[in-house]
Amino acid sequence: MLYGRQLILPDLGKSGQLKLKNTSILIVGAGGLGSPAAIYLAAAGVGKLGIVDYDKVEKSNLHRQIIHNETREGISKAQSAKMTIEGLNSLCNCVAYEILLDSLSALEIVQQYDIVVDATDNVATRYLLNDACVISGKPLVSGSALRMDGQLTVYNYKGGPCYRCLFPKPPPPESVLNCADGGILGVVTGVIGCLQALQAIKIATENDESPNNLLIFSATSYPLFRSIKLRSKKKDCVICGDHPSITKLQDYVQFCGSGALDKSPSVKELGREDRIEPKVYHNLRNETPHVLIDVRETVQYEICSLPSSINIPLKDLPKRIEDVKKLLETPNTSVYVICRLGNDSQHAVNILKNYLKGEVKDIIGGLYKWSLEVDQEFPIY
Amino acid sequence: MSKEITILYFATARDATNVSSEKISLPSQSMSMSLKDLTDLLKKRHEKLVPVLETSLYAINMEYVECDYQSILVKEGDEVAIIPPVSGG
């Protein structure tokens, strides 16, 4: 019997299983958090699951986005998730939304579900989902994870706070790391995603006695989990307070100063005269005496690097100017700077220009573009 | 011996300070300090923490506190957690 082992649980039983069957849950994001959440919710017998994701499966996703696999590379994440779910439990009605949720589409979709799981990867969509859930009166099971840390909270539930009550101001865009830049251990998103599934099941089966709390997970700390007791919602919250000033969805990209995409923005700090194309650098590489400085973090440099490059991480550069000068054959020797994507290298050129007499240029698009245009064997990570 | 409080740093707050926790001594002769004064002290100790504190929430002894920092007092032995939002996934 499909649900036999959980049906005999006194905490669930037949009535709980029926409640799951009659519940619809919207999972926004089929990534590191959404993968385990969707798998466990489908397996547990949730009647209807909506999966929202605009992105396509990439190889670099698979260490954590375990609902996808190698054969799905390049196809829509929402569709790939639906395929896995249908193979796992054919009784689950799964709806795939291959869209980028925005202020125009969010309310209509959110209103069709009982519970919303926030498994997104960016600040703008977090505020959007919060507001959509407050306006339509849905509990929001919010999870997040980066590097070795994660957080779990249920917002807009049992008189508790919403996301804006706790975080009224979005963090400045330049301070927000995404998984592509900051890194993430797959099992950390797995822990939080599983807890989101658990929380959604407790809400669906009306089995949740715990007070409102913010659970913090830190894989490198002891204890691993800490639970922060929250208060009720804020009376002066702009959306869920007594006199809300926000009554409809806003422009969240403008509010947060960053887009709803988990991609690193391109920086344009230098003019053309201070930059060099990877192909042009490739041609002069063996002919012209120069120094190549790689300003990535050492942990990244150790993954792959260009021969004869010198690793000086950007954050150490200001105090290592003398080291750079010692590398130069003559005071006029050219210096080229490279990084992963061609953003940090521009900051580095601006620092170095103040101290060096010779030419200082950064390699446009970094090692990523080097791999695309010069050496296809060079790994992209 | 001076009277101490413990500060816990999470996520980007830990990155900004390079420590996960530290002890802070209360000013001599005093039994407590306001959360506002503590915030100012932490900003002086860790320059990189300044922007992080703008959008972090505070918990004292694992209980969330609202941002009326002037009237909230931190006492000897208290544990103050600084929790910035994590947004990845």
Side-chain angles (χ1 to χ4, degrees):
Chain A
M1 194 177 184
L2 186 55
Y3 305 121
R5 294 293 186 278
Q6 68 187 38
L7 273 171
I8 58 173
L9 285 171
D11 289 313
L12 191 80
K14 183 183 160 192
S15 70
Q17 191 67 56
L18 282 171
K19 282 176 187 161
L20 284 181
K21 166 114 194 81
N22 291 322
T23 297
S24 56
I25 299 179
L26 182 69
I27 299 173
V28 184
L33 300 166
S35 289
I39 286 173
Y40 274 110
L41 290 172
V46 169
K48 181 181 171 189
L49 278 184
I51 312 269
V52 184
D53 207 309
Y54 68 95
D55 220 346
K56 293 189 166 51
V57 178
E58 289 174 29
K59 198 176 260 175
S60 67
N61 300 146
L62 297 177
H63 79 118
R64 67 188 191 283
Q65 305 186 7
I66 54 168
I67 205 165
H68 316 299
N69 62 50
E70 286 183 355
T71 64
R72 310 265 176 82
E73 219 181 302
I75 76 165
S76 134
K77 284 190 188 176
Q79 288 299 345
S80 166
K82 182 178 155 80
M83 285 156 76
T84 302
I85 286 169
E86 285 174 344
L88 180 65
N89 188 345
S90 55
L91 298 174
C92 178
N93 169 20
C94 182
V95 184
Y97 300 92
E98 289 173 53
I99 56 162
L100 186 64
L101 211 62
D102 60 18
S103 348
L104 297 175
S105 58
L107 269 184
E108 198 196 327
I109 296 175
V110 164
Q111 278 163 354
Q112 297 171 39
Y113 291 83
D114 302 316
I115 300 167
V116 179
V117 172
D118 182 347
T120 58
D121 55 13
N122 65 84
V123 185
T125 312
R126 288 186 184 277
Y127 281 98
L128 165 70
L129 275 179
N130 178 71
D131 292 3
C133 284
V134 171
I135 290 170
S136 43
K138 311 285 181 183
L140 176 63
V141 182
S142 170
S144 58
L146 188 73
R147 295 185 163 175
M148 308 295 275
D149 294 304
Q151 292 178 354
L152 174 83
T153 325
V154 183
Y155 293 113
N156 195 42
Y157 181 56
K158 286 187 173 172
C162 78
Y163 189 63
R164 282 186 191 263
C165 291
L166 297 194
F167 303 109
K169 256 200 298 190
E174 61 278 10
S175 78
V176 180
L177 269 179
N178 57 33
C179 292
D181 292 337
I184 175 80
L185 189 69
V187 69
V188 170
T189 46
V191 167
I192 302 296
C194 285
L195 288 171
Q196 287 182 280
L198 175 66
Q199 198 59 57
I201 288 172
K202 284 165 73 175
I203 296 171
T205 56
E206 298 166 271
N207 216 349
D208 190 7
E209 301 296 322
S210 53
N212 289 303
N213 68 93
L214 162 65
L215 189 68
I216 303 174
F217 173 71
S218 179
T220 51
S221 302
Y222 177 83
L224 287 175
F225 290 99
R226 287 175 198 262
S227 180
I228 306 291
K229 200 174 150 202
L230 296 176
R231 297 194 170 189
S232 44
K233 63 182 180 178
K234 267 191 192 162
K235 287 192 171 69
D236 59 352
C237 175
V238 291
I239 182 141
C240 76
D242 293 344
H243 305 286
S245 55
I246 297 176
T247 51
K248 57 182 196 321
L249 298 181
Q250 313 280 300
D251 182 340
Y252 296 90
V253 174
Q254 190 191 36
F255 175 62
C256 297
S258 59
L261 304 174
D262 175 28
K263 302 279 186 267
S264 316
S266 285
V267 173
K268 277 210 181 95
E269 210 173 283
L270 298 178
R272 289 303 291 189
E273 67 284 2
D274 291 322
R275 313 200 70 191
I276 183 168
E277 286 289 343
K279 276 184 182 162
V280 180
Y281 171 72
H282 175 64
N283 291 336
L284 66 77
R285 192 167 149 77
N286 295 323
E287 326 253 297
T288 317
H290 69 279
V291 169
L292 175 65
I293 298 176
D294 186 326
V295 292
R296 292 174 298 155
E297 289 292 316
T298 303
V299 64
Q300 295 187 37
Y301 184 79
E302 283 170 353
I303 300 171
C304 51
S305 62
L306 289 179
S308 77
S309 62
I310 310 286
N311 182 217
I312 304 179
L314 180 63
K315 67 173 180 350
D316 300 334
L317 190 61
K319 53 180 187 282
R320 292 189 58 188
I321 299 294
E322 286 309 311
D323 293 346
V324 176
K325 284 186 178 167
K326 280 181 202 152
L327 294 167
L328 307 180
E329 262 176 53
T330 74
N332 291 319
T333 303
S334 300
V335 172
Y336 299 102
V337 184
I338 197 160
C339 66
R340 185 178 176 200
L341 299 169
N343 291 338
D344 283 353
S345 55
Q346 298 183 59
H347 300 308
V349 167
N350 270 334
I351 295 170
L352 289 171
K353 272 201 300 193
N354 296 325
Y355 301 96
L356 303 181
K357 290 190 183 136
E359 181 178 81
V360 188
K361 288 186 176 182
D362 93 304
I363 296 173
I364 296 169
L367 291 163
Y368 180 78
K369 203 170 178 197
W370 177 269
S371 175
L372 294 182
E373 294 183 1
V374 176
D375 178 7
Q376 272 89 35
E377 298 285 300
F378 196 87
I380 290 176
Y381 62 93
Chain B
M1 222 183 91
S2 64
K3 297 174 167 52
E4 288 180 328
I5 51 176
T6 305
I7 317 290
L8 303 175
Y9 298 106
F10 291 96
T12 48
R14 191 180 50 222
D15 297 339
T17 58
N18 280 321
V19 290
S20 56
S21 73
E22 66 177 336
K23 304 263 188 205
I24 299 271
S25 296
L26 285 169
S28 54
Q29 309 302 319
S30 47
M31 303 299 287
S32 64
M33 72 194 294
S34 73
L35 202 49
K36 166 89 171 56
D37 290 344
L38 176 65
T39 303
D40 293 341
L41 187 85
L42 295 179
K43 284 180 179 171
K44 269 189 213 140
R45 277 175 83 97
H46 308 284
E47 191 194 334
K48 285 183 180 161
L49 196 60
V50 175
V52 178
L53 285 170
E54 292 282 305
T55 52
S56 295
L57 61 82
Y58 290 81
I60 300 179
N61 300 326
M62 293 300 131
E63 215 167 303
Y64 166 72
V65 290
E66 295 225 358
C67 38
D68 181 12
Y69 298 151
Q70 200 69 60
S71 67
I72 294 168
L73 295 179
V74 188
K75 307 182 299 298
E76 179 187 5
D78 277 353
E79 199 177 51
V80 179
I82 293 171
I83 307 163
V86 170
S87 57

